[in-house]
Amino acid sequence: MANERMTEIVERYERATYMINRRLSSKVKEGLPNDITPEQLFILRYLKRNNDVSSSELADLLCVGKSTITSVISRMVNKGYVVRTPSQEDRRVVYLSLTEEGDRQHSRIEETIYHIIEPYISKIGEAKAFEYIAVLEHISEVLMMDLE
């Protein structure tokens, strides 16, 4: 019996997350500047909220190889959004941070995303939105444990 319930849960989860990701991601992507990829958006957000971030840390978070993240970061450096700073303690370590232009781009994008997503969230109400987000955050934590 539990197997049938779990099957239902998995099917409903897949269906709901597929529709949310497909439709909302599409709307968000349409609202982004043409030169910003979803990975670059994640990096802008992550660098805005964290200090002393390395390429390896980003590669792990995005589940991509180091060569892939190096390529993405290089494009962001060329656009003037990110700067690489060698560690004072270990020259092999390079930290990434946002430039002023990266910070401005981040602010513009965040405002755009807010205006895209807010109408949907307001329709379900704050209480349900917080419940939903809490569940997503918990799933995210469980997934992150797999990386450790």
Side-chain angles (χ1 to χ4, degrees):
M1 192 59 102
N3 191 19
E4 287 177 26
R5 298 265 304 151
M6 189 54 71
T7 299
E8 178 187 355
I9 290 168
V10 169
E11 287 174 358
R12 289 177 64 189
Y13 168 82
E14 286 180 316
R15 192 170 38 254
T17 57
Y18 176 80
M19 293 306 291
I20 291 167
N21 288 332
R22 190 78 174 149
R23 293 186 184 213
L24 265 186
S25 292
S26 174
K27 289 182 181 294
V28 167
K29 199 172 186 178
E30 288 172 10
L32 292 177
N34 289 335
D35 64 338
I36 297 288
T37 66
E39 291 81 13
Q40 291 172 346
L41 172 60
F42 176 87
I43 292 167
L44 285 173
R45 285 176 158 167
Y46 194 79
L47 293 179
K48 179 70 175 174
R49 293 175 178 89
N50 297 279
N51 297 319
D52 296 336
V53 176
S54 68
S55 292
S56 297
E57 182 178 345
L58 290 174
D60 289 343
L61 287 167
L62 288 167
C63 301
V64 297
K66 290 181 184 178
S67 62
T68 300
I69 204 68
T70 299
S71 174
V72 173
I73 293 299
S74 291
R75 284 192 294 279
M76 295 180 80
V77 167
N78 292 339
K79 292 176 186 178
Y81 300 158
V82 173
V83 64
R84 294 179 174 114
T85 307
S87 167
Q88 297 297 322
E89 295 82 33
D90 184 349
R91 295 304 234 178
R92 295 171 295 174
V93 177
V94 175
Y95 294 117
L96 306 167
S97 58
L98 291 182
T99 62
E100 286 183 29
E101 180 57 30
D103 194 50
R104 277 192 294 277
Q105 188 74 328
H106 171 269
S107 295
R108 284 191 295 265
I109 290 170
E110 288 299 309
E111 188 174 327
T112 299
I113 290 172
Y114 174 85
H115 290 294
I116 292 169
I117 295 176
E118 185 275 333
Y120 300 105
I121 298 297
S122 62
K123 285 181 183 177
I124 66 169
E126 285 185 14
K128 284 193 180 211
F130 276 116
E131 287 175 32
Y132 172 71
I133 291 165
V135 170
L136 288 179
E137 289 171 341
H138 187 75
I139 291 170
S140 177
E141 290 168 13
V142 170
L143 289 169
M144 292 304 289
M145 284 186 241
D146 282 351
L147 294 176
E148 298 169 353

